[in-house]
Amino acid sequence: MVTVFAADDFPGIYTYDLPQRCWNDKGSIVYFSSQWFSKLEMLCVDTDSKSVSQLKVEGDDQSKLILDVYGRVVLACSSSPTRPHSVAVGMLAQNGLTISSWVIVASASCDLASRLTWEIMSLKPTDGDQLEYQAVFVTSKEKVVPPQPLLVFPHGGPHSAFSCDFRQDVLFMASLGFAVLMVNYRGSVGFGKDGVDSLPGRVGTQEIHDVHFAALHVIRLGKADANKVVAYGGSHGGFISIHLVGQYPDFYKAACIRNPVVDMARKFTTSDIPDWCCTEADVPYNLAAIQSSSSFEKMLSKSPIMHADKIKAAVLLQLSGEDLRCPPSQGKELYFYLKATGSKIKLLMYPKDNHPIATVDTEADAAVNKAIWLLENLV
């Protein structure tokens, strides 16, 4: 990873894995896709010259995932928020560092681009920090009066990112009339090492302000209705969403929250990643030692449960019975508190599912219930 960089400079390598075949014939150049700001870009690393190049396709703004490399042929999957996944074949130039031709060989027949549009918004923090961040905004092409309701959608992780690829959940909500704002707040990967390192110790504050400012930015541009704003997120995105409805109780009308982090102090003793709690709260991690009371106090102080008493929004919780990452006890802590205080709260349990809620039946059920809940509680 690299530190702060100028626009369009190499921000570092952020990839989950490499294609099984990723080298050129000489074994000197490796090909893969990596997060580059808010897109998934094709890269090649020349181990002889120790240089990194972007494999650009002229006139194509989609995210691209390299699937295979054979000789000078590159097989990739490409998509955008308004274009479903397609399969493309690219031919590398003789030097192996550029694409000389690019052909789509299989694609979906639906034309979503005629109804929806998307853009990447660059944003500057309100706290004076020089680190910029971005948001991906998906909305209708038609001029809507009054403006569309706004779905604020922060990603989980927190050190992950939205990559301008096709997502069924975004398409579903956009098709129901929502403008969808996916925020790559400071701490997201693809923006340099300084961005990633800026968040630990500042969770519960920095990314919350970033996401909320992005929502305000869209509204000030007249692209969304200030009186119809809702939040949606899972895992750390759920952590952020609870913070949003707690810290800005008069701004967000409703929220749908999947398997969230609610209380970092309690999560430390129940999750399969206790080190995550220490890292993000910036406290020492040592399983061979008893955590100090001050460490637990610091984790708790950054947790969204500390703002639960201010929540006015209608909250739908979607929890998985077999989630080891964010155990259902996290969401239930918020549920019992809001239920006891008379807040509008509903809990859906998926006993046999785990962290992503991604089996066919549960994903569909969660999506439909999310849409119903958010639409019913816009006013």
Side-chain angles (χ1 to χ4, degrees):
M1 293 190 291
V2 297
T3 56
V4 176
F5 50 91
D8 297 326
D9 281 354
F10 172 57
I13 293 175
Y14 310 88
T15 186
Y16 293 105
D17 52 24
L18 298 173
Q20 188 171 358
R21 293 191 297 193
C22 57
W23 292 92
N24 67 345
D25 290 339
K26 296 180 180 179
S28 59
I29 302 176
V30 61
Y31 302 92
F32 57 93
S33 294
S34 178
Q35 189 77 25
W36 189 299
F37 291 85
S38 294
K39 283 187 182 178
L40 195 63
E41 298 283 8
M42 300 187 297
L43 305 183
C44 60
V45 177
D46 189 330
T47 58
D48 290 337
S49 64
K50 297 180 174 57
S51 62
V52 181
S53 303
Q54 221 182 119
L55 294 174
K56 293 187 177 181
V57 177
E58 200 67 34
D60 191 327
D61 63 353
Q62 299 184 76
S63 284
K64 301 172 189 66
L65 175 65
I66 293 180
L67 304 173
D68 192 20
V69 179
Y70 185 74
R72 290 172 51 204
V73 178
V74 174
L75 181 70
C77 175
S78 64
S79 72
S80 77
T82 59
R83 292 190 181 277
H85 296 89
S86 60
V87 178
V89 173
M91 181 64 70
L92 293 165
Q94 287 290 347
N95 63 6
L97 301 178
T98 59
I99 295 285
S100 60
S101 66
W102 186 260
V103 179
I104 303 295
V105 296
S107 62
S109 59
C110 55
D111 182 17
L112 304 171
S114 64
R115 297 188 289 112
L116 300 172
T117 185
W118 66 278
E119 62 180 303
I120 297 175
M121 297 178 168
S122 294
L123 301 157
K124 292 186 177 180
T126 58
D127 57 12
D129 196 326
Q130 297 302 306
L131 297 170
E132 293 189 5
Y133 64 103
Q134 292 181 338
V136 183
F137 185 60
V138 181
T139 188
S140 171
K141 273 191 172 180
E142 298 178 5
K143 181 68 176 179
V144 181
V145 180
Q148 293 176 276
L150 179 63
L151 176 69
V152 180
F153 184 9
H155 62 72
H159 308 295
S160 64
F162 291 116
S163 58
C164 285
D165 54 359
F166 182 74
R167 297 182 59 109
Q168 289 179 322
D169 54 350
V170 172
L171 171 63
F172 181 47
M173 298 308 292
S175 298
L176 291 174
F178 285 92
V180 182
L181 183 67
M182 297 174 278
V183 187
N184 284 331
Y185 45 84
R186 283 173 294 167
S188 304
V189 298
F191 294 79
K193 186 174 186 295
D194 284 358
V196 173
D197 290 345
S198 71
L199 189 55
R202 301 173 72 183
V203 293
T205 302
Q206 175 175 290
E207 81 275 47
I208 313 305
H209 293 170
D210 285 355
V211 173
H212 185 64
F213 177 75
L216 292 174
H217 177 72
V218 167
I219 289 168
R220 287 168 185 154
L221 293 175
K223 295 176 180 287
D225 190 339
N227 296 312
K228 294 183 178 181
V229 185
V230 298
Y232 165 59
S235 197
H236 193 83
F239 173 97
I240 294 172
S241 296
I242 302 168
H243 266 295
L244 289 173
V245 297
Q247 293 191 35
Y248 306 99
D250 296 317
F251 188 83
Y252 296 90
K253 301 298 183 184
C256 176
I257 297 162
R258 296 180 298 104
N259 291 327
V261 178
V262 172
D263 183 336
M264 294 172 71
R266 293 189 182 185
K267 183 178 189 286
F268 176 82
T269 61
T270 57
S271 173
D272 65 342
I273 50 168
D275 52 312
W276 180 93
C277 303
C278 296
T279 298
E280 300 306 334
D282 193 25
V283 300
Y285 173 66
N286 183 0
L287 279 180
I290 302 299
Q291 284 290 332
S292 66
S293 59
S294 61
S295 291
F296 284 120
E297 287 171 5
K298 192 172 183 180
M299 292 181 201
L300 182 60
S301 70
K302 299 179 181 301
S303 299
I305 192 66
M306 298 302 291
H307 299 278
D309 61 325
K310 300 189 290 289
I311 292 176
K312 297 179 181 179
V315 176
L316 171 64
L317 284 166
Q318 298 177 329
L319 307 180
S320 299
E322 297 184 1
D323 187 355
L324 302 180
R325 190 63 32 99
C326 296
S329 57
Q330 285 286 298
K332 287 179 179 179
E333 182 179 350
L334 179 66
Y335 172 77
F336 289 133
Y337 177 83
L338 292 180
K339 195 72 173 175
T341 56
S343 300
K344 190 169 185 179
I345 177 76
K346 181 178 180 180
L347 170 61
L348 295 178
M349 278 294 303
Y350 300 101
K352 299 300 182 180
D353 214 326
N354 51 37
H355 194 55
I357 310 184
T359 59
V360 174
D361 54 344
T362 58
E363 183 179 24
D365 185 84
V368 170
N369 277 284
K370 170 185 66 179
I372 293 172
W373 183 264
L374 295 180
L375 287 168
E376 286 182 346
N377 290 286
L378 275 177
V379 292

